[in-house]
Amino acid sequence: MTNSVLPKGVSKEAFDKAIGEYKEALGNENVLVAPEKIAPYSKIMIPAENSQHQPSGALLARSVKDVQEVLGICNKYRIPVWPISTGRNFGYGTAAPATPGQMVLDMRGMNKIIEIDPVLCTALVEPGVTYKELVDYINERNLDVWASFPSSGGLAGPVGNTLDRGVGYNRAGEHFSNFCGLEVVLANGEVVRTGMGSIGKGETWQSYRWGYGPWVDGLFSQSNLGVVTKMGLWLMKKPPHYESFGVGWNDVESMAKGVEMASRMRLSAVMENGVVGSALYGVISTKKRSDIYDGPGAIPDAVLAKYYKDHGIPQFALFSTLYGTKEQVAVNLKICREAFESTGGFVFTGEAFNASPDARHWQRMMTGRPELHEFGNYNFIGGGGSAWFAPALPARAYDVVRCYNATKEIFNKHGFNCPIGFLLGVRHLEQVADLLFDRTNPEETQRAHACFKEALEANAKLGYGCYRTNIAFMDLAAKTYSKELRNLNKRLKRSLDPNGIIAPGKSGIYI
Ligand SMILES: Cc1cc2nc3c(=O)[nH]c(=O)nc-3n(C[C@H](O)[C@H](O)[C@H](O)COP(=O)(O)OP(=O)(O)OC[C@H]3O[C@@H](n4cnc5c(N)ncnc54)[C@H](O)[C@@H]3O)c2cc1C
C-alpha cells in the first residue's frame, strides 16, 4: 500500500495508520502513495539525485479545513509535509521537497479567484489559481487591470510565485512588493489572517498591507512556518497607452553602465520595469546549440560573437515598456533614449523592436499576455536539465561587471555556457543564469552540480547571495548567510512548528 520512501523516523505501521487517517479526512482519491501516482511530484530538472527529493506521497487538499486536518495528522505522526500551490517551480525543484520522505501537500484543487476589485486593482486568490486562470478571468470580464506573471507564463500561479519571491515584468513585477494580506494555517491548525484581514469583514485587507503591530507576513515567504491558503494581490491598472523599446550594447562594461542608468530611470519614475539579457539568454529560446556549434564544452566566445554579428543580434539587450498617456510615454521615451545613448547603447523601437522574437516576448510579459516562449530553452541542449542560478546584487555598474564575469567564468570552466538575464529592480537586480545541461547524462549532471556549487560560493564571497535557490542547494545557500540570522530562523521555527512538520529544509531551515 505504501511507497518505499518512509518519512524519517516513522515506522511503516505508523505511516500506514497515518495514510488511513489522511484518507478519512480527504477521501481515498485525494491521498496518493502509489509510485506511479506520485511520480509527477518527484520530477526535477535540477542537478541532483532524484532519491534526495523523493516524496513519500501526496495529499490533495480542497479546503482550508483539509489543510488543518492534514497538519493535525502530520503532527500526530511527525510526518513532514511540503506545501505547493501550483507546483511549477521549474528550475528550482518543481513540486519536489527539499528532503526525501515528505508528503507533498498539493493545493491545486483550491483554485478560487475569490474577488477582483477593478477600482482598487486588487485580487484575493487561493493557492491553486494559475496565472492563466487569473488572466482569463480578467479578460472574460473585460476588467481594466493586468496581472504580472513570471516568464514561465500561465502554468504557474501567483501564490507560490509570490511566496518564493518570484519576479514578473510589468509595474507590479516585484511580486513580494505587490501582495497584500495572507490567510495562513499555522502548524497547530490555527487560521490567521494577516494585516487588516483580522478585523471586521476584512474591508481593508487587500488595500492596506501593514495592519497593526508587528508585520508578520514576511515570515511566511521562503519559509516553513505556515501554509498559505489565501493571498491578496495588487494588480496593475491598464494604462491608456504603452510603448516598448529596446537598447543594445556590444560589451559588458557599456551594458553595466546601462543597467545603472536603468536604475536611475526607475528611481526618477521614468521607467517602471525592465529586463536585460545577454544575447544567449534570448537565443536559447529559439535555437538549438547545434545550430551554432557542435564541438564539446561551452561554445567559445568568438563563435558566439560571430553568430551574433552575422544575425544582427547585440551582445546585450534591455527591454522595457513605458506606460501612461501618449504624451507621457513620448516624453519618457525621449528621456530614456538620451539616457541610454549616453551609455553607448543604441535604442530601438517600432519595426526594429518588433523584428526581434525576444523583444516581442518581453513586450507580452509587460502587457498582460502570458506565453510559453521561454520553454524553448529546453530544446537548446535537450535532456531536460535546468537550474536557475540567481544571486541578487546592487544596481551599480561595478557590481554588474563583477557578478557577470564571476558567474560566466565558472560556468565556462565547467563546460557550460552562461545565458544571463538581469531582472531590473529599482536599486537591485536579480541576476538569473539558466544552467542548462543534459540530465540524462550522469557525468554532465555531476558537472552541473559542481558548477552551481562553485558559482554560489564564489558569488557569496563577493557579497552576492542567492535571492532564491533550488531544493538541492538550500542548505548551502543558507550557510552563506550569517549564523545569527540562521539562529533566528531556527528559533522562529521551533516556536511556531515545534514538531518540525512543515517543509523541513526549506531555505535551509530545520527545527
Ligand atoms: C522558462 C521558465 C521561465 C521562468 N521565468 C521565471 C520568472 O520570470 N520569474 C520567476 O519568478 N520565476 C520564473 N521561473 C521559475 C518558476 O517557474 C516560477 O517562479 C513559478 O511561478 C513557480 O512555481 P509556482 O508558481 O507553481 O509555485 P509553487 O511551486 O507552488 O511554489 C513555490 C514554492 O513556494 C512554497 N509554497 C508554495 N505554496 C505555498 C503555500 N501555499 N504555503 C506555503 N508555502 C508555499 C513551496 O516551498 C514551493 O516549493 C521560470 C521557469 C521556467 C521554466
Side-chain angles (χ1 to χ4, degrees), residues 45 82-92 94 107 127 131 149-152 156-161 163-169 220 223 226-229 374-375 377-378 388 423 467-468 506:
M45 303 169 83
W82 181 265
I84 59 163
S85 287
T86 52
R88 268 71 185 246
N89 213 0
F90 304 122
Y92 290 107
T94 317
M107 288 176 281
Y131 284 111
F149 36 78
S151 204
S152 42
V159 174
N161 182 280
L163 290 176
D164 233 19
R165 303 210 275 275
V167 175
Y169 302 95
F220 302 103
S223 83
V227 177
V228 172
T229 45
E374 252 193 50
F375 281 86
N377 292 9
Y378 305 119
W388 297 102
L423 316 182
Y467 94 95
R468 172 183 184 190
K506 176 76 185 177

Side-chain angles (χ1 to χ4, degrees), residues 140 297 378 449 461 479:
E140 280 156 18
Y378 305 119
H449 186 279
K461 271 202 190 120
K479 282 192 187 124

Side-chain angles (χ1 to χ4, degrees), residues 431-446:
Q431 181 202 257
V432 291
D434 196 356
L435 176 57
L436 294 172
F437 61 97
D438 178 358
R439 208 168 178 277
T440 63
N441 176 337
E443 183 279 327
E444 196 164 317
T445 304
Q446 265 184 14

Side-chain angles (χ1 to χ4, degrees), residues 177-414:
S177 298
N178 285 285
F179 83 93
C180 190
L182 300 175
E183 179 185 85
V184 188
V185 184
L186 300 178
N188 67 2
E190 262 175 13
V191 181
V192 178
R193 291 186 172 187
T194 67
M196 305 308 270
S198 62
I199 186 162
K201 288 194 220 117
E203 283 83 348
T204 322
W205 195 16
Q206 268 63 72
S207 47
Y208 182 69
R209 307 186 79 192
W210 313 116
Y212 179 73
W215 187 73
V216 295
D217 298 44
L219 293 179
F220 302 103
S221 152
Q222 287 192 6
S223 83
N224 45 19
L225 302 176
V227 177
V228 172
T229 45
K230 286 184 189 65
M231 178 183 277
L233 304 172
W234 285 347
L235 305 168
M236 175 180 162
K237 177 96 185 144
K238 226 188 239 180
H241 182 70
Y242 68 82
E243 197 163 332
S244 305
F245 70 95
V247 187
W249 297 273
N250 279 318
D251 63 278
V252 180
E253 286 75 19
S254 304
M255 173 277 286
K257 277 190 214 152
V259 168
E260 191 171 298
M261 182 59 79
S263 165
R264 203 181 301 166
M265 293 294 101
R266 293 209 58 181
L267 282 166
S268 45
V270 173
M271 266 169 71
E272 299 186 86
N273 61 5
V275 61
V276 172
S278 64
L280 196 60
Y281 194 69
V283 165
I284 57 171
S285 303
T286 51
K287 298 286 173 225
K288 290 200 164 118
R289 186 182 185 279
S290 54
D291 296 338
I292 304 173
Y293 186 67
D294 57 11
I299 308 171
D301 284 349
V303 173
L304 286 173
K306 180 171 180 326
Y307 181 85
Y308 302 148
K309 195 157 179 240
D310 291 349
H311 292 80
I313 304 169
Q315 295 258 3
F316 298 94
L318 173 147
F319 302 102
S320 177
T321 297
L322 302 170
Y323 310 112
T325 63
K326 260 192 162 167
E327 293 77 8
Q328 281 174 315
V329 168
V331 169
N332 285 337
L333 186 56
K334 182 167 179 290
I335 297 171
C336 287
R337 187 182 289 281
E338 284 167 11
F340 287 114
E341 282 174 357
S342 79
T343 66
F346 58 95
V347 175
F348 52 101
T349 55
E351 260 178 52
F353 185 93
N354 289 329
S356 155
D358 213 17
R360 292 198 302 273
H361 165 65
W362 290 112
Q363 185 183 60
R364 287 193 286 266
M365 293 300 99
M366 293 168 182
T367 53
R369 296 171 285 168
E371 59 168 20
L372 302 179
H373 171 88
E374 252 193 50
F375 281 86
N377 292 9
Y378 305 119
N379 300 326
F380 187 67
I381 285 179
S386 166
W388 297 102
F389 174 63
L393 59 147
R396 286 186 298 237
Y398 167 79
D399 296 283
V400 173
V401 174
R402 225 166 144 235
C403 186
Y404 175 83
N405 284 341
T407 307
K408 179 173 177 293
E409 196 183 309
I410 292 165
F411 273 45
N412 288 174
K413 185 181 104 184
H414 287 274

